[in-house]
mmCIF file of all heavy atoms in Angstrom:
data_model
loop_
_atom_site.group_PDB
_atom_site.id
_atom_site.type_symbol
_atom_site.label_atom_id
_atom_site.label_comp_id
_atom_site.label_asym_id
_atom_site.label_seq_id
_atom_site.Cartn_x
_atom_site.Cartn_y
_atom_site.Cartn_z
ATOM 1 N N TYR H 349 97.230 49.311 -55.986
ATOM 2 C CA TYR H 349 96.741 48.217 -56.827
ATOM 3 C C TYR H 349 97.881 47.228 -57.032
ATOM 4 O O TYR H 349 98.973 47.613 -57.446
ATOM 5 C CB TYR H 349 96.297 48.730 -58.203
ATOM 6 C CG TYR H 349 95.064 49.584 -58.171
ATOM 7 C CD1 TYR H 349 95.154 50.964 -58.037
ATOM 8 C CD2 TYR H 349 93.805 49.019 -58.269
ATOM 9 C CE1 TYR H 349 94.017 51.754 -58.005
ATOM 10 C CE2 TYR H 349 92.659 49.799 -58.243
ATOM 11 C CZ TYR H 349 92.782 51.165 -58.108
ATOM 12 O OH TYR H 349 91.655 51.944 -58.082
ATOM 13 N N ASN H 350 97.626 45.957 -56.762
ATOM 14 C CA ASN H 350 98.637 44.932 -56.960
ATOM 15 C C ASN H 350 98.696 44.567 -58.436
ATOM 16 O O ASN H 350 97.683 44.261 -59.054
ATOM 17 C CB ASN H 350 98.330 43.694 -56.116
ATOM 18 C CG ASN H 350 99.449 42.693 -56.187
ATOM 19 O OD1 ASN H 350 99.355 41.717 -56.912
ATOM 20 N ND2 ASN H 350 100.510 42.948 -55.449
ATOM 21 N N LEU H 351 99.898 44.631 -59.004
ATOM 22 C CA LEU H 351 100.089 44.289 -60.414
ATOM 23 C C LEU H 351 100.737 42.919 -60.581
ATOM 24 O O LEU H 351 100.330 42.134 -61.419
ATOM 25 C CB LEU H 351 100.940 45.359 -61.106
ATOM 26 C CG LEU H 351 100.353 46.764 -61.111
ATOM 27 C CD1 LEU H 351 101.344 47.743 -61.707
ATOM 28 C CD2 LEU H 351 99.041 46.794 -61.863
ATOM 29 N N ILE H 352 101.747 42.653 -59.784
ATOM 30 C CA ILE H 352 102.442 41.363 -59.832
ATOM 31 C C ILE H 352 102.620 40.902 -58.391
ATOM 32 O O ILE H 352 103.255 41.596 -57.597
ATOM 33 C CB ILE H 352 103.815 41.477 -60.528
ATOM 34 C CG1 ILE H 352 103.672 42.051 -61.935
ATOM 35 C CG2 ILE H 352 104.508 40.124 -60.566
ATOM 36 C CD1 ILE H 352 104.987 42.412 -62.584
ATOM 37 N N PRO H 353 102.046 39.755 -58.021
ATOM 38 C CA PRO H 353 102.194 39.296 -56.632
ATOM 39 C C PRO H 353 103.628 38.874 -56.335
ATOM 40 O O PRO H 353 104.412 38.585 -57.240
ATOM 41 C CB PRO H 353 101.238 38.104 -56.551
ATOM 42 C CG PRO H 353 101.036 37.660 -57.957
ATOM 43 C CD PRO H 353 101.249 38.854 -58.836
ATOM 44 N N SER H 354 103.980 38.836 -55.048
ATOM 45 C CA SER H 354 105.306 38.353 -54.673
ATOM 46 C C SER H 354 105.401 36.883 -55.065
ATOM 47 O O SER H 354 104.398 36.170 -55.128
ATOM 48 C CB SER H 354 105.552 38.538 -53.177
ATOM 49 O OG SER H 354 104.610 37.804 -52.444
ATOM 50 N N GLN H 355 106.607 36.438 -55.348
ATOM 51 C CA GLN H 355 106.790 35.070 -55.837
ATOM 52 C C GLN H 355 108.186 34.581 -55.505
ATOM 53 O O GLN H 355 109.048 35.359 -55.107
ATOM 54 C CB GLN H 355 106.555 35.030 -57.341
ATOM 55 C CG GLN H 355 107.354 36.060 -58.111
ATOM 56 C CD GLN H 355 106.876 36.230 -59.530
ATOM 57 O OE1 GLN H 355 106.700 35.248 -60.226
ATOM 58 N NE2 GLN H 355 106.682 37.451 -59.955
ATOM 59 N N LYS H 356 108.393 33.281 -55.664
ATOM 60 C CA LYS H 356 109.714 32.703 -55.468
ATOM 61 C C LYS H 356 110.362 32.505 -56.832
ATOM 62 O O LYS H 356 109.784 31.893 -57.725
ATOM 63 C CB LYS H 356 109.628 31.376 -54.739
ATOM 64 C CG LYS H 356 109.572 31.496 -53.255
ATOM 65 C CD LYS H 356 109.843 30.180 -52.595
ATOM 66 C CE LYS H 356 109.997 30.411 -51.103
ATOM 67 N NZ LYS H 356 110.378 29.201 -50.415
ATOM 68 N N ILE H 357 111.563 33.031 -56.979
ATOM 69 C CA ILE H 357 112.327 32.868 -58.216
ATOM 70 C C ILE H 357 113.677 32.280 -57.824
ATOM 71 O O ILE H 357 114.402 32.868 -57.012
ATOM 72 C CB ILE H 357 112.497 34.215 -58.957
ATOM 73 C CG1 ILE H 357 111.128 34.776 -59.350
ATOM 74 C CG2 ILE H 357 113.394 34.044 -60.176
ATOM 75 C CD1 ILE H 357 111.172 36.134 -60.009
ATOM 76 N N CYS H 358 113.992 31.118 -58.359
ATOM 77 C CA CYS H 358 115.234 30.411 -58.042
ATOM 78 C C CYS H 358 115.404 30.233 -56.533
ATOM 79 O O CYS H 358 116.496 30.392 -55.986
ATOM 80 C CB CYS H 358 116.442 31.128 -58.636
ATOM 81 S SG CYS H 358 116.428 31.228 -60.430
ATOM 82 N N GLY H 359 114.292 29.959 -55.847
ATOM 83 C CA GLY H 359 114.335 29.699 -54.423
ATOM 84 C C GLY H 359 114.337 30.939 -53.540
ATOM 85 O O GLY H 359 114.284 30.831 -52.327
ATOM 86 N N GLU H 360 114.404 32.120 -54.136
ATOM 87 C CA GLU H 360 114.411 33.360 -53.350
ATOM 88 C C GLU H 360 113.082 34.077 -53.505
ATOM 89 O O GLU H 360 112.551 34.177 -54.618
ATOM 90 C CB GLU H 360 115.522 34.294 -53.808
ATOM 91 C CG GLU H 360 116.892 33.901 -53.341
ATOM 92 C CD GLU H 360 117.916 34.984 -53.613
ATOM 93 O OE1 GLU H 360 117.597 36.177 -53.426
ATOM 94 O OE2 GLU H 360 119.018 34.633 -54.036
ATOM 95 N N LYS H 361 112.561 34.580 -52.375
ATOM 96 C CA LYS H 361 111.311 35.322 -52.429
ATOM 97 C C LYS H 361 111.577 36.718 -52.996
ATOM 98 O O LYS H 361 112.472 37.428 -52.531
ATOM 99 C CB LYS H 361 110.664 35.428 -51.044
ATOM 100 C CG LYS H 361 109.303 36.065 -51.093
ATOM 101 C CD LYS H 361 108.601 36.021 -49.766
ATOM 102 C CE LYS H 361 107.232 36.654 -49.924
ATOM 103 N NZ LYS H 361 106.464 36.614 -48.697
ATOM 104 N N VAL H 362 110.804 37.085 -54.003
ATOM 105 C CA VAL H 362 110.939 38.387 -54.659
ATOM 106 C C VAL H 362 109.650 39.166 -54.402
ATOM 107 O O VAL H 362 108.556 38.629 -54.561
ATOM 108 C CB VAL H 362 111.171 38.217 -56.181
ATOM 109 C CG1 VAL H 362 111.291 39.566 -56.859
ATOM 110 C CG2 VAL H 362 112.397 37.367 -56.444
ATOM 111 N N ARG H 363 109.782 40.409 -53.981
ATOM 112 C CA ARG H 363 108.596 41.198 -53.663
ATOM 113 C C ARG H 363 107.771 41.469 -54.913
ATOM 114 O O ARG H 363 108.286 41.486 -56.034
ATOM 115 C CB ARG H 363 108.961 42.496 -52.963
ATOM 116 C CG ARG H 363 109.722 43.483 -53.811
ATOM 117 C CD ARG H 363 110.041 44.727 -52.983
ATOM 118 N NE ARG H 363 110.882 45.624 -53.724
ATOM 119 C CZ ARG H 363 110.427 46.636 -54.446
ATOM 120 N NH1 ARG H 363 109.147 46.878 -54.522
ATOM 121 N NH2 ARG H 363 111.262 47.419 -55.102
ATOM 122 N N GLY H 364 106.495 41.721 -54.696
ATOM 123 C CA GLY H 364 105.597 41.999 -55.798
ATOM 124 C C GLY H 364 105.732 43.434 -56.286
ATOM 125 O O GLY H 364 106.526 44.212 -55.776
ATOM 126 N N THR H 365 104.918 43.757 -57.285
ATOM 127 C CA THR H 365 104.921 45.097 -57.855
ATOM 128 C C THR H 365 103.532 45.688 -57.718
ATOM 129 O O THR H 365 102.548 45.051 -58.086
ATOM 130 C CB THR H 365 105.324 45.049 -59.347
ATOM 131 O OG1 THR H 365 106.629 44.479 -59.441
ATOM 132 C CG2 THR H 365 105.321 46.436 -59.958
#
Side-chain angles (χ1 to χ4, degrees):
Y349 291 91
N350 187 259
L351 299 175
I352 304 170
S354 61
Q355 52 194 311
K356 275 195 171 185
I357 298 176
C358 298
E360 284 190 40
K361 186 173 181 178
V362 179
R363 67 181 174 94
T365 300

